[in-house]
Amino acid sequence: MAIETNKLQSIISHCKEYGFIFPSSEIYDGLQAVYDYGQWGAELKKNIRDHWWNSMTRMHENIVGIDAAIFMHPTVWKASGHVDNFNDPMIDNKDSKKRYRVDHLIEAFSDELQAAGQDDKANEILTQMELLLSKDDFIGLKKLIETNNIKCAISGTCNWTDIRQFNLMFSTEFGSTASSDEEDNKVYLRPETAQGIFVNFLNVQKTGRMKIPFGIAQVGKAFRNEIVARQFIFRMREFEQMEMQFFIRPGTQKEWYEFWKTERMNWHVALGIPAAKYKFHDHAKLAHYADAACDIEFEFPIGFKEVEGIHSRTDFDLKNHQEFSKKKQQYFDNDLDPATGKPYGNYIPYVIETSIGLDRMFLLIMSNAYEEQDLSTAEKQDSRVVLKFPVKLAPIKLAVLPLMKKDGLPELARQLMDDCKSHFKCFYEEKDTIGKRYRRMDALGTPFCVTIDHQTKEDGTVTVRHRDSMEQTRVAMSEVKSLVLGSF
Ligand code: ATP
């Protein structure tokens, strides 16, 4: 598959020009792999977050949501395995001093081969890499890099160090003074939101009187000291995750894993995004906590990449928290086991996790929506950029545009704004020609524009202009609210 570098660049520029995403601290030349969401980006992100939250906590009666703190007791990260295992194999180029994540370096090389039409070789290298990674064979991986003459993009040389492990957690200190005994005060910025759910498992189960199977959902910031931090918001050092841990009876994990795989894929496709742009990718190398795992991959402009992970985490986390905290993390199951006719009794639940990056989902929605259209006719050259967002996610649902700034038209437009603005996000604009205003709304992905003109004064009708088809229809102003509400 050709990598649409130009499309990604166009999306990055568009996001900046139209107030979706800015580089962080831009006046100081930015901060690598950290981004700020602007006025329309924040709306789109919030709509994606709310849609996920509602799908999880409203459409499933046995899932509730929490909001745990970013800082957690440092022992959490020992129990979870992150202190010892949250490493990525890295390699440095001795000439440029640039550090690469080994899998990313090899994947980028494979992408280049693919772009040059050498699909077989590209796939063979990826297969070899996955095999070597699954065995932690760092000598073999280095040999793979050297025999394929994979070069550093900066120095252009193949002068590599040995491969080493690098922990991805950020740490800081608690307390007013930097202690001489730094380890005592050391706290981590959470690298995943999941642990906030595990340590609250019993709190929620007891206070919510939850019966297994049940889930706990959470949306929040996570932090990872990513080494290869490029590709815009695809890989950031500060990002947001939307995670759900589903607690189940041991032995039922296979069926629930399959259930959540189907459920999550359906969620994606129900947004109107073509199913062909998605695929599952089973993990060759399982994380330290998993007995089965796959990614939902999407065809981003940078190729098929992970947007969401579905992991069967066994009882790894709860068991370890029980061991490290010395507090029982058990559930008493009253249901009768048909094999014995007695209650299942006490056990540490197993867990299926669904974990999706909010920022990656944002990039997915943006990449799928972004279209450059040539609208030229024999008479004149014309083009537009349109963001074809699903209506329920669009930052602005309705633009209200009085044709002129006089003759009572703004007053009528304000009436429509007042009728609609408490129901969905509306935008009022009276500057520039109507054509220019339509184009600006296309570039923000606004599905409906309403023009108030002189006829409105006579018969109470307005022109509704539809973003995707650019069709214009005449409807009663009093019907606009229900027309928009009925579309999402
Ligand atoms: P990757 O292999 O791309 O590093 P991962 O397998 O480490 O991702 P998980 O730990 O499974 O990712 O995290 C769940 C989700 O969180 C991912 O599917 C992704 O959408 C998101 N995510 C993870 N790391 C980042 C990051 N650095 N920036 C943005 N989103 C991220």
Side-chain angles (χ1 to χ4, degrees):
M1 201 227 49
I3 294 175
E4 301 170 273
T5 317
N6 291 345
K7 181 164 176 190
L8 183 65
Q9 283 313 319
S10 307
I11 290 173
I12 297 171
S13 310
H14 190 85
C15 280
K16 178 147 187 265
E17 190 180 342
Y18 284 91
F20 285 95
I21 297 175
F22 309 121
S24 157
S25 334
E26 198 188 3
I27 57 169
Y28 295 101
D29 299 329
L31 182 65
Q32 233 198 1
V34 185
Y35 289 91
D36 296 341
Y37 286 82
Q39 64 279 24
W40 304 125
E43 291 282 347
L44 174 58
K45 194 175 170 196
K46 181 180 180 305
N47 292 345
I48 298 173
R49 189 193 289 120
D50 288 350
H51 175 53
W52 180 89
W53 181 267
N54 292 340
S55 310
M56 282 296 177
T57 65
R58 283 192 198 165
M59 304 312 285
H60 297 98
E61 290 175 24
N62 57 351
I63 299 181
V64 290
I66 63 163
D67 183 13
I70 287 171
F71 289 129
M72 301 184 72
H73 194 285
T75 312
V76 166
W77 305 111
K78 293 201 179 94
S80 69
H82 282 80
V83 171
D84 293 328
N85 293 314
F86 197 50
N87 304 311
D88 274 333
M90 302 287 175
I91 194 164
D92 293 15
N93 184 271
K94 288 185 193 161
D95 299 320
S96 67
K97 310 278 182 262
K98 187 164 167 55
R99 180 167 292 169
Y100 292 86
R101 235 176 86 171
V102 169
D103 55 335
H104 291 168
L105 181 69
I106 299 173
E107 271 169 16
F109 179 69
S110 154
D111 285 345
E112 278 170 30
L113 289 175
Q114 221 167 15
Q118 301 185 48
D119 287 21
D120 288 349
K121 189 160 181 216
N123 289 334
E124 190 193 314
I125 286 176
L126 287 184
T127 312
Q128 283 179 31
M129 176 189 82
E130 291 203 341
L131 188 73
L132 293 165
L133 278 173
S134 68
K135 293 193 285 190
D136 280 338
D137 182 352
F138 294 165
I139 295 172
L141 280 163
K142 187 172 178 195
K143 222 159 137 196
L144 184 69
I145 291 171
E146 285 173 343
T147 48
N148 285 286
N149 205 17
I150 301 179
K151 297 194 175 82
C152 164
I154 295 177
S155 67
T157 70
C158 195
N159 191 10
W160 299 107
T161 60
D162 285 341
I163 293 173
R164 280 169 296 143
Q165 294 281 30
F166 182 87
N167 194 289
L168 299 185
M169 279 198 294
F170 283 103
S171 63
T172 184
E173 290 122 47
F174 252 29
S176 54
T177 52
S179 155
S180 51
D181 194 357
E182 274 177 24
E183 284 304 313
D184 281 356
N185 290 350
K186 191 167 176 179
V187 286
Y188 296 99
L189 273 71
R190 66 181 177 197
E192 62 175 26
T193 56
Q195 297 306 323
I197 295 179
F198 289 124
V199 300
N200 279 300
F201 156 70
L202 277 182
N203 282 339
V204 174
Q205 190 273 319
K206 291 200 167 118
T207 57
R209 296 150 54 91
M210 309 298 288
K211 252 182 88 67
I212 272 182
F214 74 91
I216 305 179
Q218 176 168 223
V219 182
K221 291 268 186 176
F223 304 82
R224 296 183 186 177
N225 199 0
E226 300 280 7
I227 295 306
V228 184
R230 54 190 163 89
Q231 299 166 333
F232 194 37
I233 57 168
F234 183 82
R235 189 172 303 287
M236 299 195 287
R237 296 202 164 105
E238 173 180 342
F239 58 101
E240 228 168 305
Q241 287 186 315
M242 306 189 285
E243 296 199 302
M244 193 279 299
Q245 311 296 326
F246 198 69
F247 298 91
I248 54 173
R249 188 178 296 147
T252 61
Q253 64 270 30
K254 279 204 173 58
E255 66 204 73
W256 282 115
Y257 176 66
E258 291 306 323
F259 173 87
W260 281 109
K261 270 178 79 171
T262 311
E263 190 74 7
R264 292 304 303 146
M265 187 59 103
N266 289 347
W267 182 85
H268 283 275
V269 176
L271 278 168
I273 295 163
K277 288 194 165 188
Y278 284 100
K279 67 179 183 197
F280 284 112
H281 173 253
D282 290 326
H283 284 200
K285 183 182 180 204
L286 291 174
H288 56 276
Y289 51 76
D291 74 354
C294 68
D295 299 331
I296 295 180
E297 292 190 341
F298 177 77
E299 192 175 13
F300 287 98
I302 48 175
F304 267 103
K305 302 270 177 204
E306 168 178 351
V307 60
E308 172 158 7
I310 296 159
H311 311 125
S312 173
R313 289 181 84 125
T314 68
D315 57 358
F316 176 89
D317 302 88
L318 290 179
K319 202 158 87 188
N320 279 4
H321 286 308
Q322 173 166 297
E323 192 182 315
F324 278 74
S325 68
K326 309 272 184 287
K327 312 253 168 33
K328 280 218 170 347
Q329 298 298 308
Q330 286 184 349
Y331 171 84
F332 186 82
D333 194 335
N334 274 321
D335 286 357
L336 297 185
D337 179 350
T340 62
K342 292 188 184 136
Y344 284 99
N346 268 319
Y347 57 76
I348 300 177
Y350 269 42
V351 171
I352 306 295
E353 165 183 79
T354 70
S355 173
I356 175 170
L358 175 51
D359 313 86
R360 273 197 203 169
M361 191 61 200
F362 184 111
L363 185 60
L364 184 158
I365 294 293
M366 187 57 88
S367 328
N368 189 62
Y370 184 89
E371 241 180 75
E372 289 172 11
Q373 294 179 340
D374 184 358
L375 306 172
S376 301
T377 57
E379 290 78 46
K380 73 170 178 128
Q381 294 256 312
D382 196 10
S383 66
R384 70 167 181 164
V385 170
V386 56
L387 299 179
K388 292 184 169 176
F389 294 135
V391 178
K392 70 158 68 88
L393 302 182
I396 304 166
K397 308 282 189 254
L398 175 71
V400 179
L401 316 171
L403 189 65
M404 293 175 160
K405 277 193 245 179
K406 54 181 187 181
D407 300 339
L409 302 186
E411 286 75 8
L412 279 172
R414 288 283 172 203
Q415 270 178 31
L416 182 60
M417 284 291 289
D418 290 343
D419 189 25
C420 295
K421 70 186 179 193
S422 65
H423 298 273
F424 43 79
K425 180 77 185 166
C426 303
F427 186 80
Y428 178 89
E429 192 167 43
E430 53 186 32
K431 210 168 148 269
D432 287 330
T433 63
I434 205 75
K436 274 194 184 152
R437 282 183 266 171
Y438 284 160
R439 286 290 188 274
R440 220 166 18 242
M441 285 300 125
D442 288 342
L444 294 176
T446 306
F448 301 100
C449 290
V450 159
T451 304
I452 316 284
D453 55 21
H454 290 92
Q455 195 183 329
T456 314
K457 283 171 66 179
E458 287 158 24
D459 63 8
T461 64
V462 295
T463 301
V464 176
R465 188 261 192 187
H466 299 261
R467 177 195 67 196
D468 298 352
S469 62
M470 293 189 286
E471 262 172 26
Q472 303 189 9
T473 47
R474 201 83 202 168
V475 303
M477 191 163 101
S478 56
E479 281 169 19
V480 169
K481 182 171 78 189
S482 46
L483 178 110
V484 176
L485 281 174
S487 70
F488 66 98

